Amino acid sequence: MRGSVDGRVWRGLNFCAVVAAAAWMGGPMGLAVANTTMTEPVKRAVDQPNKAKPVEAKPNEAKPAEQTKESESMPEPTTEQQAERESGMKSGSALSGEVDRLDGSRQDLAEYRGKVVLIVNVASQCGLTPQYEGLQKLYESKAGAGLVVLGFPANNFMGQEPGTSQEIAAFCSQKYGVTFPMFAKMNVIDPDGRGSGEASPLFKRLTVFAAAMLSQAERAEMEAKPSRVEGVVPGSPSWNFTKYVIGRDGRLEARFDPQTKPDDAALVATLDRLLAEPAPAKK
């Protein structure tokens, strides 16, 4: 491929790469890299700043992956968002902060503490959408014991939830008779992996807590199989209908893959174990 490109183009690309590296490293170290790496014509160009100036990275431009830290890739959170994240992380509770329901009302997630909570990111046009039926049956059979299922529509996976809140509500009610709480559409992963459309605070917490539960072998296995959707990381939803089980104390107990059906023996056993535990005393 390189032999078919004009030599001047390659010299220009080499110049840009070296100058960018020198500008990024800065100081004597950056100068040393530039001097030891550049060809003589490129050195002359750098020594004449009026002819060729390094291009400074703009704030919104993504840095190379090996140079990008998570804190640099994410937009600065508001004071309110930061307080919410810190509160949830410090307490270890996945249930903190407020979210919008499909009807537009606000819901404080902390109100679900004391129950066993099954959080599922859902979609109306997915091959797994029939799981709504199983989720509704699970909710009906165990709500009396303290289970609540929470559905969070998301359009992150192949655009399989394009509807409005009204359309989603009508679909779930009419086709599957859903009565468990449903919430407004949100991002459950970072859509482009660069922070331009962050995952919601709830799913950020779930991702962090779920990743912390992985063994080194499990994490390595997940990282060795890149997802077809950018923004999927260990612990995050890997597709529609990923399931997170939260105990009565608000802490994440288990994560189940999308293919796990609502009547799966392991999922049901986990729910039954947690439902058998007494609710913690209210503070």
Side-chain angles (χ1 to χ4, degrees):
M1 181 70 178
R2 178 171 178 170
S4 65
V5 180
D6 190 288
R8 290 171 296 179
V9 175
W10 280 105
R11 285 196 296 273
L13 291 172
N14 182 49
F15 165 71
C16 291
V18 173
V19 170
W24 175 69
M25 295 177 71
M29 186 178 292
L31 184 58
V33 171
N35 286 336
T36 56
T37 309
M38 292 187 289
T39 61
E40 194 59 32
V42 176
K43 286 182 182 179
R44 288 199 298 271
V46 173
D47 290 337
Q48 300 174 30
N50 291 333
K51 292 186 178 181
K53 295 182 179 179
V55 179
E56 295 183 0
K58 297 179 181 179
N60 293 329
E61 290 181 349
K63 295 182 179 181
E66 65 273 17
Q67 299 173 11
T68 302
K69 297 179 181 178
E70 183 179 356
S71 60
E72 295 172 334
S73 66
M74 297 297 183
E76 286 296 321
T78 64
T79 302
E80 192 175 278
Q81 287 174 327
Q82 186 64 29
E84 179 181 315
R85 290 180 196 174
E86 291 178 357
S87 173
M89 292 301 181
K90 287 179 180 177
S91 67
S93 175
L95 300 175
S96 65
E98 293 187 347
V99 291
D100 292 327
R101 284 183 175 249
L102 278 181
D103 62 7
S105 62
R106 296 287 284 173
Q107 173 67 55
D108 184 352
L109 292 172
E111 293 180 4
Y112 291 117
R113 293 179 192 174
K115 292 183 176 291
V116 174
V117 181
L118 178 60
I119 290 178
V120 188
N121 61 295
V122 296
S124 302
Q125 298 181 12
C126 177
L128 300 177
T129 299
Q131 286 193 19
Y132 266 126
E133 182 177 357
L135 291 171
Q136 177 62 26
K137 288 181 179 178
L138 190 64
Y139 175 60
E140 290 176 353
S141 65
K142 298 183 183 296
L147 174 70
V148 62
V149 177
L150 306 181
F152 290 87
N155 199 39
N156 295 117
F157 300 101
M158 302 296 289
Q160 293 180 347
E161 185 56 278
T164 64
S165 289
Q166 293 79 6
E167 291 169 339
I168 295 170
F171 172 82
C172 292
S173 175
Q174 295 170 12
K175 190 168 180 65
Y176 294 105
V178 168
T179 58
F180 55 80
M182 290 285 295
F183 296 85
K185 192 158 56 176
M186 62 173 60
N187 285 330
V188 298
I189 59 172
D190 176 7
D192 64 4
R194 297 174 181 172
S196 65
E198 284 190 88
S200 69
L202 169 62
F203 278 89
K204 276 184 173 293
R205 288 193 297 273
L206 291 172
T207 295
V208 169
F209 294 146
M213 296 169 66
L214 295 171
S215 67
Q216 290 185 342
E218 290 172 327
R219 181 185 290 271
E221 182 180 358
M222 292 182 72
E223 292 176 343
K225 298 178 180 178
S227 170
R228 51 181 167 163
V229 177
E230 197 166 12
V232 171
V233 297
S236 75
S238 55
W239 199 255
N240 304 309
F241 292 90
T242 300
K243 301 163 187 71
Y244 296 88
V245 179
I246 298 170
R248 293 185 186 273
D249 59 359
R251 295 176 182 271
L252 180 68
E253 292 286 337
R255 173 191 178 279
F256 290 88
D257 287 336
Q259 291 76 17
T260 302
K261 295 181 179 180
D263 61 355
D264 176 82
L267 171 58
V268 173
T270 299
L271 295 174
D272 286 341
R273 173 178 60 82
L274 295 172
L275 289 168
E277 296 177 358
K282 293 184 178 181
K283 297 181 180 179

